[in-house]
Amino acid sequence: MRTVECKEVVELIPAYVKGELTRNQMNEVSEHLQNCNSCYEEAEKWEELFAELRSLVSYTHKPEKKVAQLTRGKTSSLTPWIVGGVGLGVGVLLAAGGALLWRKK
């Protein structure tokens, strides 16, 4: 097995953490991480980041799944309300931001 340098490992760590490397690459990175503290710490940071992102995605998608379960195929009747609600929310945020910018002048 060839020796991989830190620079190469650092570039591969995100794919390593997600399990997207070939078996040989996974083995090379894993061996490097066992012997290099700085790369190991970098891999831990990526693992924490991906765990946090998964928890956010899980959190934000649960309500959508619940709506789909409750309506059982009737989501098309809810779509105008959802789109309108999002549009209204964006409009309110834009108006508030515009008001804040106007007050600063």
Side-chain angles (χ1 to χ4, degrees):
M1 190 175 299
R2 72 184 182 92
T3 303
V4 289
E5 300 292 324
C6 290
K7 182 180 178 182
E8 183 180 356
V9 170
V10 168
E11 291 176 9
L12 293 173
I13 286 175
Y16 172 82
V17 171
K18 293 188 294 182
E20 297 176 344
L21 299 178
T22 66
R23 179 178 287 164
N24 284 342
Q25 288 174 315
M26 292 291 283
N27 290 337
E28 289 173 348
V29 172
S30 180
E31 184 177 316
H32 182 88
L33 294 177
Q34 290 175 5
N35 300 309
C36 180
N37 288 336
S38 63
C39 288
Y40 180 83
E41 290 173 4
E42 183 72 16
E44 282 186 325
K45 290 176 187 176
W46 278 100
E47 286 176 1
E48 290 172 13
L49 174 65
F50 286 132
E52 184 68 25
L53 289 173
R54 280 190 298 274
S55 73
L56 291 174
V57 169
S58 173
Y59 173 77
T60 59
H61 283 60
K62 285 183 182 176
E64 293 170 5
K65 289 180 182 177
K66 191 67 171 176
V67 168
Q69 289 171 349
L70 292 173
T71 59
R72 295 186 187 186
K74 298 179 184 176
T75 54
S76 61
S77 64
L78 288 176
T79 301
W81 289 98
I82 293 170
V83 171
V86 169
L88 179 62
V90 169
V92 168
L93 289 173
L94 287 173
L100 288 173
L101 287 174
W102 182 74
R103 287 176 73 193
K104 287 184 178 181
K105 288 184 178 182

